[in-house]
Amino acid sequence: MRTIRSRFRLRSATLTGALGAALLLAPLPAQQAVAASTLTNSGFESDGAGTATPSGWSTYSAAGQNAASFTEAGGHSGGHRLSHWSSSAYKVETYQYLSGLADGTYTLSAWVRSGGGQNAAYLALRNCGSAEQRTDLPVTTSSWIRVVTSVKVVGGGCTISVNSDANAGNWLNVDDLTFTSGSTGLTVKGVDLSALKKNEDFGATYKNAAGTTGDPVVLLKGAGATYGRLKVWVNPADGYNTKTQVLATAKRVKAQGMKLLVDFHYSDVWADPGAQSKPAAWAGHSYGQLRTDVYNHTYDVLNALKAQGTTADMVQIGNEINTGMLWPEGSTSNWPQLAGLLNSGISAAKAVSSSTQIALHLANGGDNALYRTWFDNATAQGVSYDVIALSFYGYWHGALSSLQTNLDDIAARYGKKVMVAETAYPFRLDSEDAHENIIDLSSELVSGYPASPSGQSAWLRDVMNVVEAVPGGRGLGVVYWEPAWTAVTGNGWDPTDPSSGNAWENQALFDYDSRLLPAANWFAHR
């Protein structure tokens, strides 16, 4: 996690609810206003401004509130857009029915903006002969964001709709829709469980939403998680996050049918853009010896995982290596040496399992200039990898639109799969233990996302939506950082200090009563 050591030093709705709210705007009867197999007036340019029912579209409202849907100036690419807004509470749907479609899977893409605050604001594909599919609109008041939704069409017809169940003054914009063959979805819906073993050893327990105690790995898998991420330190002071614990937790992850992502820090403590300290055992080693150290350490851990039947599916060679790793030898001020260290780890991983995917991981996921500079250098130095992994915390790393711009660009520029390897969001601001939380002020939050279970749910949902929308199916997915790191005495942030506290428990996916929070259920979405 970005700057966790320095931050800690300085500061030393739920899926069910969301979908329930969405259902307040019940599915409306399809009125076949358009008997065509392609979208008509998909950019809302045909009528100019002020049209309540744009050409090719139909409008339905619960109480004659059709005027809450209208076209106005200011499109994403053209001169106009569709907007939903009213000075009083409203429920409205703008929709278009397509017929004559060949059966198969289709994807709706649209550019959207929303001021947030609605009971529900989403795009839907319904009456398609299969289960209705929805994508909620993220909160993005100034920048457009592209979202996608896919559905299986059976029977030749499908309704494309824009839906609002809104309070007075809530608004959304939609523009430039497309409906084409193809599917979307995320394969990586992950949870970083690095703190779990120590948490349990110090007495942590976990419960489902109803309050029944259970295995947190089972609970998260049941909510839809498909990947477990585990960090590896070399020789930490507390003895945790070593090969021993990784092997044990990997068995639990794989036993649930989940895949395994191993995150090598190449350090005894937190590695992030502000700290890439060599392990104490490697401190006096030359650059050449460090290359051997990296190879041997990587091979040792991964081969042990393979030997016990839990081969890593993906491996991070370094953690948040914006500025390199194993300073000073592996700093980005000396790219040939950094590339040599990276390639040592990559070679070891591939020697154990040629099918294991290699990820290179940076923080600051909204900083496209950083990623271009870094991966241009990696390419020039011949570093071979499969996945670009990002950390993206909205309260540090910028707007969701910046994340989308960066993901879209680097996926195309380097021809790689991309994923958010770390994200999280608070469900409350106060602390359960005596240690101040890293995010504990309303001024630190992302606009439109309150520190509440519903705000946490919306954040995870919308980050997943942005990754899913990466063109060409290159968006792999999202990993939630440390969802099981709850507040227990003895498992604080500092492995050298048993009395240190946890500044992260308000961003876990288990609440202060140890119950699974609703945000976890978004892992099951597509």
Side-chain angles (χ1 to χ4, degrees):
M1 186 187 71
R2 178 181 179 269
T3 64
I4 189 162
R5 288 205 316 162
S6 56
R7 284 275 178 164
F8 279 131
R9 282 175 177 167
L10 288 170
R11 302 185 64 87
S12 187
T14 80
L15 176 62
T16 301
L19 293 185
L23 289 171
L24 291 174
L25 187 55
L28 301 172
Q31 301 175 23
Q32 297 187 16
V34 177
S37 59
T38 58
L39 277 170
T40 300
N41 193 21
S42 59
F44 304 100
E45 301 296 332
S46 298
D47 309 287
T51 303
T53 304
S55 298
W57 295 85
S58 299
T59 306
Y60 180 87
S61 63
Q65 299 168 318
N66 283 18
S69 171
F70 53 91
T71 56
E72 62 178 338
H76 166 254
S77 63
H80 297 88
R81 67 197 182 207
L82 175 72
S83 294
H84 286 180
W85 176 86
S86 178
S87 59
S88 58
Y90 63 95
K91 295 181 182 180
V92 67
E93 177 187 22
T94 309
Y95 65 95
Q96 187 170 149
Y97 180 77
L98 300 182
S99 63
L101 298 168
D103 286 356
T105 303
Y106 291 80
T107 293
L108 173 70
S109 173
W111 289 90
V112 303
R113 299 189 302 191
S114 172
Q118 300 96 332
N119 298 314
Y122 60 93
L123 306 180
L125 297 173
R126 58 183 183 80
N127 303 321
C128 306
S130 61
E132 179 175 326
Q133 297 296 316
R134 297 181 178 181
T135 292
D136 295 84
L137 272 61
V139 179
T140 171
T141 57
S142 58
S143 300
W144 292 89
I145 288 181
R146 184 185 62 258
V147 296
V148 296
T149 307
S150 62
V151 72
K152 184 176 181 181
V153 172
V154 179
C158 194
T159 298
I160 290 88
S161 68
V162 182
N163 302 266
S164 292
D165 175 3
N167 303 301
N170 294 159
W171 62 271
L172 62 77
N173 302 146
V174 177
D175 202 7
D176 294 339
L177 295 95
T178 64
F179 188 67
T180 56
S181 296
S183 62
T184 66
L186 300 175
T187 58
V188 176
K189 292 175 278 190
V191 285
D192 190 311
L193 298 173
S194 300
L196 177 60
K197 181 65 168 64
K198 187 174 181 181
N199 236 43
E200 290 178 326
D201 286 352
F202 280 86
T205 58
Y206 301 88
K207 305 172 185 176
N208 65 16
T212 302
T213 300
D215 182 333
V217 183
V218 175
L219 296 175
L220 290 164
K221 166 63 176 179
T226 61
Y227 256 82
R229 180 180 187 246
L230 301 174
K231 73 168 174 273
V232 187
W233 286 341
V234 177
N235 189 25
D238 63 358
Y240 284 89
N241 298 116
T242 66
K243 181 176 73 172
T244 300
Q245 286 80 37
V246 168
L247 289 169
T249 307
K251 285 184 177 180
R252 297 170 65 181
V253 168
K254 290 279 191 170
Q256 294 306 310
M258 298 165 67
K259 293 189 175 182
L260 177 65
L261 166 56
V262 178
D263 173 18
F264 285 94
H265 282 227
Y266 302 111
S267 181
D268 293 335
V269 293
W270 302 102
D272 57 46
Q276 293 285 339
S277 303
K278 289 195 289 285
W282 306 356
H285 291 185
S286 66
Y287 167 68
Q289 183 60 48
L290 287 172
R291 289 198 62 176
T292 300
D293 293 333
V294 168
Y295 186 96
N296 289 344
H297 172 62
T298 306
Y299 187 93
D300 178 49
V301 173
L302 297 180
N303 194 52
L305 286 165
K306 181 180 179 179
Q308 71 170 12
T310 59
T311 300
D313 300 281
M314 189 183 299
V315 171
Q316 281 181 221
I317 305 299
N319 186 77
E320 295 190 332
I321 51 177
N322 305 33
T323 50
M325 65 185 199
L326 293 166
W327 290 346
E329 288 81 2
S331 166
T332 49
S333 63
N334 190 334
W335 256 102
Q337 290 194 173
L338 173 56
L341 293 168
L342 292 170
N343 282 329
S344 290
I346 292 165
S347 295
K350 290 295 188 179
V352 173
S353 170
S354 61
S355 64
T356 295
Q357 296 287 286
I358 303 299
L360 299 179
H361 173 219
L362 309 187
N364 303 84
D367 187 347
N368 183 238
L370 164 68
Y371 279 73
R372 280 189 167 217
T373 298
W374 203 97
F375 283 96
D376 280 357
N377 276 300
T379 301
Q381 294 295 328
V383 179
S384 177
Y385 62 96
D386 305 298
V387 176
I388 298 176
L390 308 83
S391 292
F392 186 76
Y393 299 94
Y395 38 73
W396 293 330
H397 297 156
L400 284 167
S401 56
S402 296
L403 172 65
Q404 181 163 82
T405 296
N406 190 31
L407 288 171
D408 289 358
D409 179 67
I410 60 179
R413 184 178 180 89
Y414 305 107
K416 301 295 184 181
K417 299 281 190 179
V418 294
M419 62 181 285
V420 172
E422 293 186 22
T423 195
Y425 204 77
F427 62 89
R428 59 194 294 169
L429 291 174
D430 61 315
S431 181
E432 186 177 13
D433 62 13
H435 193 81
E436 185 180 15
N437 288 332
I438 198 166
I439 300 296
D440 64 347
L441 300 173
S442 58
S443 60
E444 296 173 314
L445 299 174
V446 179
S447 178
Y449 298 88
S452 66
S454 62
Q456 184 187 59
S457 293
W459 178 257
L460 179 56
R461 176 198 74 199
D462 292 345
V463 172
M464 292 172 72
N465 285 345
V466 167
V467 177
E468 185 180 17
V470 175
R474 289 194 171 118
L476 278 179
V478 176
V479 177
Y480 197 94
W481 197 75
E482 291 289 12
W485 192 12
T486 56
V488 295
T489 302
N491 190 13
W493 71 272
D494 186 353
T496 69
D497 180 5
S499 67
S500 63
N502 183 357
W504 200 258
E505 74 270 17
N506 68 325
Q507 299 195 61
L509 291 181
F510 292 88
D511 67 16
Y512 289 1
D513 293 322
S514 302
R515 297 188 184 210
L516 188 67
L517 284 157
N521 292 314
W522 280 102
F523 292 128
H525 185 61
R526 282 200 293 278

